[in-house]
Amino acid sequence: MSKIEQTLSIIKPDAVERNLVQEIKNFLEKNNLIIKESKKIHITKDEASEFYKVHQSKSFFNDLCSYLSSGPIVVMILEGENAIFSYRKLMGATNPKEAENNTIRKLYGISIDKNSVHGSDSKDNAKKEINFFFKS
Ligand code: CMP
């Protein structure tokens, strides 16, 4: 069954730094996702730790939070049919080396850390992550 959903997307520092924001936005829009909101921000390490707190027990947590706060990012609300799943498909596997052809991480990702984009992994997390960056 098709349903209109919203999900959160982050264009990470490596992609912002390489001026890939417009290219990634075009890719999303070409693939039927509507960019409802978009803003460029630079978060602190504490904010990154709060955002990624589900990963706090992981060995890579500290590096992950340092990285997300290392430079400007672009956060977006994407909307479309089955947006959560369809955006995750467009991103490709977490590790760019394992990502399928014609996915964002395959096209632009550098490494598992510098993998260019983040996307919510479930309906609950999409709601939480959208509220985190776009609370009114
Ligand atoms: P993201 O989808 O933003 O969610 C958490 C991030 O942790 C992930 O993308 C990767 O960039 C990063 N990461 C670093 N090391 C790992 C790992 N071993 N497994 C999964 N994610 C990792």
Side-chain angles (χ1 to χ4, degrees):
M1 207 176 66
S2 69
K3 49 189 184 300
I4 301 297
E5 292 175 337
Q6 289 192 338
T7 190
L8 182 91
S9 164
I10 303 177
I11 303 181
K12 296 187 182 184
D14 66 275
V16 175
E17 203 171 78
R18 287 176 290 147
N19 293 315
L20 292 169
V21 173
Q22 199 52 53
E23 220 162 304
I24 292 173
K25 285 184 171 180
N26 291 345
F27 185 86
L28 296 171
E29 287 176 331
K30 257 188 234 152
N31 285 282
N32 302 317
L33 288 166
I34 296 164
I35 300 167
K36 295 291 282 187
E37 301 277 353
S38 172
K39 61 183 179 186
K40 191 174 182 180
I41 55 177
H42 191 161
I43 61 172
T44 64
K45 191 171 175 186
D46 280 352
E47 288 168 326
S49 307
E50 179 61 23
F51 177 75
Y52 272 135
K53 68 182 175 201
V54 292
H55 295 300
Q56 62 194 356
S57 62
K58 311 266 173 65
S59 58
F60 55 84
F61 181 66
N62 186 52
D63 286 348
L64 174 63
C65 299
S66 297
Y67 173 60
L68 198 72
S69 56
S70 67
I73 58 175
V74 173
V75 291
M76 298 179 284
I77 300 176
L78 306 181
E79 188 177 279
E81 235 172 68
N82 296 305
I84 298 164
F85 178 73
S86 64
Y87 174 50
R88 286 186 72 78
K89 268 193 87 174
L90 290 177
M91 286 195 298
T94 307
N95 188 343
K97 288 192 190 90
E98 290 161 14
E100 305 73 11
N101 283 337
N102 207 32
T103 60
I104 299 171
R105 286 166 169 164
K106 176 73 169 191
L107 290 167
Y108 307 117
I110 296 169
S111 65
I112 194 160
D113 302 299
K114 297 184 173 182
N115 63 353
S116 300
V117 282
H118 166 84
S120 312
D121 64 359
S122 66
K123 215 176 162 107
D124 274 1
N125 282 337
K127 205 176 264 178
K128 283 184 201 152
E129 293 183 357
I130 287 170
N131 281 337
F132 186 88
F133 287 112
F134 294 95
K135 43 188 169 254
S136 43

